[in-house]
Amino acid sequence: MLIKRKQGWELPEAAVTPEGRYLQRRELVRAMGLGAAALALPGAAFAQGKAADPSAGLYPAKRNDKYGVPTPMTAEKQATTYNNFYEFGTDKSIWRDAQKLEVRPWTIKVGGMVEKPFEIGIDDLLAKVQLEERVYRHRCVETWSMIVPWSGFPVRSLVDVCKPLGSAKFIVMKTLSKPSVMPEQRDLLYPWPYTEGLAMDEAMNDLAFIATGLYGKPIHKQNGAPLRLVAPWKYGFKNVKSIVSVDFTDKKPVSFWEKLQSSEYGFWANVNPQVPHPRWSQATEKPLGSNERIPTLLYNGYAEFVAGLYTDRKAEKLFM
Ligand SMILES: Nc1nc2c(c(=O)[nH]1)N[C@H]1C(S)=C(S)[C@@H](COP(=O)(O)O)O[C@H]1N2
Ligand SMILES: [Mo]
């Protein structure tokens, strides 16, 4: 069921902006002599860092607990200050630098094997889908893990908006290319832009999710604003951040890490504690903020929902 909800920018401004900032902005706008007309352009003001996220009013979304609510939840501070986002740097402390990413305006280009290629703005996309919150496990191939509340919508809803041809077999998503803001993109040893994909039956599985929010708010830039993939039964690197293109194809795509090092990272990348990485064991993991390692679960604990996707793919390297 599709429900047209009010966009952030349709709400009275005071409802989405902390009062202090609301007043400040009014003063600022008045000082600039722009008056009421400028107040009607929160998207532009947001792009200049002067307004709340225009989608802020959509969060928090109602929680869907159909796939469980794993515990303990990782602290927001941990999940938003320990990140992998190589475009901004190869260590885990890129969160400050990632604030330079401008997430409005933000356009997603849809192409490949679709009825008709098109572009859609993030806020128009948000108006077409039903947002919900899901608490998912996340398991990085490096063996750290977390449990966080994403808000967003099933990948299937994105597919419905895109209208792929029946002959499409894979969905491919790419991160923004913008070396002026993402300095590591100048390092040509990496196959930028960051690219990931899912087989269509994986994409249509209800567990596959597009996150646009985190901890009941618009998703943080360091976590992949304004939209990122979340496939919780796979290693974290599948979860491509800050998506600007969605393509459909009948050829298996080669993803970023696979292109870089195919002996260590593959396309399927399903979590399996019994299949070690060539350089380390995958048997256990360290939750962010904890000092103890815990056992890693097959398909990261989601086998009952996704194992069936792979019964006819036994010949493939499903776990790397
Ligand atoms: N564009 C892009 N997406 C990315 C990455 C990246 O470096 N660039 N890192 C991946 C990896 S390895 C992980 S574990 C997760 C980390 O997500 P988080 O920082 O929100 O925890 O993002 C994934 N998506
Ligand atoms: Mo990762």
Side-chain angles (χ1 to χ4, degrees):
M1 185 178 60
L2 284 178
I3 299 173
K4 169 92 171 81
R5 279 152 302 115
K6 265 188 181 293
Q7 301 250 13
W9 47 262
E10 292 176 274
L11 295 169
E13 192 176 32
V16 294
T17 320
E19 199 175 4
R21 216 197 293 170
Y22 170 58
L23 291 174
Q24 270 170 31
R25 235 187 95 204
R26 282 178 58 138
E27 292 311 317
L28 184 74
V29 168
R30 199 172 294 137
M32 294 190 319
L34 297 174
L39 279 175
L41 293 169
F46 177 71
Q48 293 156 32
K50 294 188 189 98
D53 186 310
S55 68
L58 300 176
Y59 306 94
K62 190 169 181 288
R63 184 175 289 179
N64 173 358
D65 59 9
K66 227 163 101 188
Y67 308 101
V69 180
T71 55
M73 183 98 79
T74 301
E76 179 175 353
K77 178 115 199 265
Q78 292 281 349
T80 57
T81 57
Y82 184 96
N83 301 97
N84 272 332
F85 203 158
Y86 272 57
E87 287 84 340
F88 289 102
T90 53
D91 61 43
K92 300 288 183 276
S93 47
I94 52 75
W95 67 272
R96 255 181 238 280
D97 293 322
Q99 303 316 308
K100 295 189 193 113
L101 181 66
E102 288 183 359
V103 299
R104 291 296 186 291
W106 190 275
T107 307
I108 301 127
K109 215 173 155 172
V110 177
M113 300 173 75
V114 289
E115 283 177 17
K116 193 170 176 250
F118 64 96
E119 294 186 357
I120 186 167
I122 180 67
D123 294 301
D124 292 332
L125 177 61
L126 286 170
K128 284 181 189 285
V129 295
Q130 178 67 51
L131 292 187
E132 58 182 63
E133 181 177 87
R134 296 187 187 185
V135 181
Y136 275 167
R137 289 185 205 88
H138 172 101
R139 172 60 156 80
C140 176
V141 74
E142 300 162 336
T143 83
W144 58 270
S145 67
M146 62 181 184
I147 296 174
V148 297
W150 303 108
S151 313
F153 48 90
V155 174
R156 189 200 302 125
S157 302
L158 174 66
V159 171
D160 288 346
V161 170
C162 296
K163 300 196 171 70
L165 303 177
S167 45
K169 294 198 172 78
F170 298 91
I171 179 173
V172 184
M173 289 169 260
K174 292 183 182 166
T175 298
L176 176 70
S177 270
K178 200 165 189 185
S180 61
V181 176
M182 298 171 153
E184 282 301 312
Q185 288 183 333
R186 295 192 197 115
D187 184 342
L188 301 176
L189 289 177
Y190 292 99
W192 309 112
Y194 200 99
T195 301
E196 265 301 344
L198 296 172
M200 284 310 292
D201 58 345
E202 295 181 313
M204 299 305 275
N205 185 285
D206 199 41
L207 211 57
F209 203 62
I210 298 289
T212 59
L214 184 58
Y215 294 96
K217 293 173 279 198
I219 189 169
H220 308 56
K221 295 176 177 184
Q222 59 271 37
N223 297 97
L227 77 166
R228 62 90 65 82
L229 176 64
V230 179
W233 71 101
K234 294 178 177 284
Y235 288 114
F237 66 81
K238 292 297 291 184
N239 299 340
V240 48
K241 293 179 170 181
S242 305
I243 297 165
V244 292
S245 75
V246 178
D247 282 281
F248 296 85
T249 166
D250 56 4
K251 287 176 195 66
K252 191 161 146 224
V254 182
S255 45
F256 179 85
W257 288 105
E258 188 183 9
K259 204 170 272 177
L260 204 61
Q261 191 70 279
S262 65
S263 60
E264 300 193 346
Y265 307 101
F267 176 79
W268 300 102
N270 295 306
V271 175
N272 187 337
Q274 297 185 337
V275 179
H277 183 278
R279 289 182 280 137
W280 58 82
S281 164
Q282 294 290 22
T284 63
E285 65 197 53
K286 193 167 135 353
L288 290 187
S290 156
N291 292 321
E292 274 163 54
R293 301 191 72 86
I294 57 170
T296 285
L297 305 170
L298 180 62
Y299 293 108
N300 202 23
Y302 297 104
E304 63 179 301
F305 307 112
V306 297
L309 291 167
Y310 306 102
T311 44
D312 294 333
R313 291 181 166 128
K314 292 264 152 54
E316 313 233 2
K317 288 185 171 171
L318 294 174
F319 304 109
M320 65 154 278

